[in-house]
Structure formats: C-alpha cells, structure tokens
Amino acid sequence: STNFSFSILTNGSYGTCGSGMAFFISPSREAPNGSIAGGLGLDVFRTDAFSASNPLPPPPEPFFAVEFDTRLSPAYNDSSHSHIGIDLNSLVSAAVVDTNNVSFPELYLYSNYRFTTWVDYEAATGLIQVRMTNATTSNTSTIPDRPSRPILELRHNISSIFAASDEPLYIGFSSTNRPPVVCLEGVALYSWSFSTGVPGSDLHNNSRVLAIGVSVAATTALLLL
C-alpha cells in the first residue's frame, strides 16, 4: 500500500510542456538512456507507430508503474493529453482512465490541482487498485478520505515482472520535462507513505529487498534508506 499527494504544475497549455510523472517499482536506480519526454524516465522514448506485426521492444529494465501522463504519445496508444494508467513492463497501459477536461475534469492533470492517490496491491489475488481524489477542490489541508471506489483496477502478479532478476527493487517517482522553449512543467510531491506486508507478519521473510528511491528529471535515482 502506498499513498502520496502531489501536483503537476505547468505554465502552458495542454500537451505543450512536460510528460507527467509515474510512481514506479524497478530493479534499476537510474533512468535508461533515451527515456526522455513520453518515456517518463522508464523506457526509451518511442516515436514509431507500433502494431501487432511491429510490437514495442522490451524496456531496458523491467518495471511496474502507475503513470499520470500529460503527453499524447501515439506509440503508446495514449487516449489524450491527460490520462492515468497502470503499466506492466510497458508504457502501453494495461488499464487506463482518460481524465480529459470534459469526461473527468476533477482529475484533469493540466489544472495545477493537488491530488492524493492510493495504490494497493494484494499479492494473494493479484489485485491492483488505484484510487485518486482532488485535494484542491475538497478544500482540506490534510490528506483527504480514501475513496471507496477505485478509478483503476487490474489483476496481475506483479512479482512475475521481476522474476528474471535477483536485484533489489527500487520504489519511487520518475518525471520528464521538455527544454524551456515554450513552457515548463514540474512536479511537487507533498507527502508519501509506503507499507508492505500483512499486519503481524514477519517482513524479514520477504524474498526481495525493497529500497526507496526517487528518480528526478529522467536522470538518476536518489537512494533514501
């Protein structure tokens, strides 16, 4: 379980600045080379049109992510300039919700809102759930109440993504920006909590080591022990 409060701040119109941000788990503590723009610091940015006969190549490092995407990238089958997705080793989201200013204005990523997000994963069932609320319009200075219904839901065994690697896993945030030619986009992270395991269980029995990292501007990750 994790929850975090953040804002995507921009001084430009939609689709002209950065690419958003992602909460991620990966065995890599550094952003891959070429993971600029829509690559979100997780995968090499693709510009070609991919299809069943021309599939996306695998990323340099495996990853699980929840993306808050502010760029429409046709190579990743993006629905709009504002969408939220669950990514399983690919930036073509396995589950996605379009949050454009018409269909889902409360979660529109271009209004400089402050959001709070909850990501929960139950290993026994493979259930991944994402909940999100607009903390700006709720007029509260504290963490808002956790919504009862998720905006995204998917079943997948996350550990299978990293089955081929014995490396420690890093957990954190990744974001990319464009050069300041027209405008800028930045991410402000206000709070973050993370927990793992079942209450009363022995966490030392976990077979994987979890290290906490933050990937900034698609360049590197800072290890926070």
Side-chain angles (χ1 to χ4, degrees):
S1 285
T2 185
N3 73 71
F4 44 91
S5 293
F6 70 98
S7 293
I8 297 176
L9 304 169
T10 178
N11 62 350
S13 58
Y14 70 90
T16 61
C17 300
S19 296
M21 83 157 195
F23 166 78
F24 75 91
I25 304 174
S26 173
S28 175
R29 62 183 292 177
E30 295 184 359
N33 291 332
S35 58
I36 60 173
L40 284 176
L42 298 173
D43 194 6
V44 177
F45 178 51
R46 318 291 181 182
T47 57
D48 300 338
F50 292 89
S51 62
S53 59
N54 184 31
L56 282 169
E61 297 287 348
F63 65 85
F64 164 82
V66 177
E67 65 171 47
F68 306 86
D69 200 325
T70 60
R71 174 190 290 259
L72 197 162
S73 300
Y76 302 128
N77 296 332
D78 289 346
S79 57
S80 77
H81 291 95
S82 177
H83 60 276
I84 300 159
I86 297 174
D87 299 342
L88 306 174
N89 209 30
S90 172
L91 290 177
V92 179
S93 298
V96 66
V97 57
D98 194 333
T99 59
N100 64 65
N101 203 25
V102 176
S103 63
F104 217 146
E106 284 293 294
L107 300 185
Y108 186 50
L109 299 177
Y110 268 94
S111 294
N112 294 334
Y113 288 140
R114 177 170 175 166
F115 302 105
T116 300
T117 300
W118 294 258
V119 181
D120 299 292
Y121 171 63
E122 186 179 64
T125 62
L127 180 62
I128 306 164
Q129 292 184 319
V130 179
R131 291 172 171 81
M132 190 167 170
T133 190
N134 187 320
T136 298
T137 57
S138 63
N139 295 320
T140 177
S141 59
T142 60
I143 295 178
D145 293 334
R146 181 175 180 269
S148 58
R149 298 181 60 182
I151 60 167
L152 281 173
E153 190 172 272
L154 183 70
R155 290 188 185 273
H156 188 84
N157 179 6
I158 291 180
S159 64
S160 66
I161 299 173
F162 310 107
S165 173
D166 292 328
E167 298 297 318
L169 296 177
Y170 295 87
I171 301 177
F173 301 88
S174 182
S175 180
T176 51
N177 203 347
R178 283 186 178 183
V181 176
V182 179
C183 57
L184 287 172
E185 180 180 282
V187 177
L189 185 66
Y190 304 109
S191 66
W192 179 26
S193 71
F194 176 85
S195 63
T196 182
V198 179
S201 67
D202 182 2
L203 297 183
H204 294 288
N205 288 332
N206 286 348
S207 61
R208 303 302 299 269
V209 177
L210 296 181
I212 307 301
V214 179
S215 181
V216 181
T219 55
T220 188
L222 306 178
L223 186 61
L224 308 178
L225 293 180

